[in-house]
Amino acid sequence: MGDLNLKLDDLQALTQRILAAHDTSAGNAEQVATALVLAEADGQKGHGASRIPSYAIQARSGKVDGHATPVLEHVADAALRIDARSGFAYPALNVAVDGLAALAPRTGIAAAAIANSHHSGVAGHQVEALARKGLVALSFGNGPVAIAPWGGNQGVFGTNPLAFAAPRGNSDPLVIDMSLSKVARGKINAAAQVGESIPEGWAVDADGNPTTDPKAALAGTMLPMGDAKGAQLVLMVEILAAALSASQFGYEASSFFTSEGDPPHVGQLLLAIDPRPLSARGFGPRLGDLLAEITNQPGTRLPGERRYELRAIAAKDGVTLPGALAQQLRDMPGGSG
């Protein structure tokens, strides 16, 4: 089967059908599908449709509880704790975004810790949602073991994404989103699915040797961005996402890709700041001055701009799935409609 072009609504419907056919409630299937389709539209394919097969088999096996309802607890004046209850991360993250959007304007700053969670996808999406409500936002997440401590050769941490977003009035928010490995692990998984090689320098194999084989890379460890400095940031995010939420560390968590094992029970932390009281309502103009200074230089662009461009194109033209993945989805329960 050749590559398949799908309108976003069709990919949304396909994803929901597959998840529903793999023991996931309709409400959860819709929220998960929305997150995966947005990732695909943004060009973040490692967090998009390529995740559907692994999500589905984990829901069917019970490694992820497709019927879980997150539990929100207001634990302090400006602090929320959310138990994802071994379910998909997106329903819990949506609860966190809604809770912080209501809380931060009253308290100035607010935090939401999510425990017993799963793969959080594109970290930039949650902070973008908060920025669209006028808040400055930060996100931290951990995941199954993928990165060794600097100088070591055994994985301890996940790729540990972090994201930041700031509101820009009538413009799309500024969004900075990165994993702390040299490349997101999802990109390596996507390459493995279609049999493509990866650039040398992304990862090492199980013996610590550089590799261009994505399957060998998945069995080995990722290299941190920034070498030793990046490894320190990885540790910081691990503490904020997992220790603070009393979740499992990377070396304790099971894989996001396979159906075997217990739930990964990783954690996420979202912070939301109302910029108005802190900046005497001058945040917007000051941010505008800074960003203008950047974009006035030829050849520069702001973080996240390419993502918004791809999103607009996908809304019009749809997205293209590799033939092997498209066939795999069609062959899954729920995939044929």
Side-chain angles (χ1 to χ4, degrees), residues 189-200:
N189 182 61
Q193 286 184 336
V194 297
E196 294 179 351
S197 62
I198 60 172
E200 188 170 319

Side-chain angles (χ1 to χ4, degrees), residues 83-105:
D83 185 348
R85 297 176 65 83
S86 303
F88 289 108
Y90 305 110
L93 289 164
N94 290 339
V95 169
V97 168
D98 290 344
L100 292 174
L103 188 58

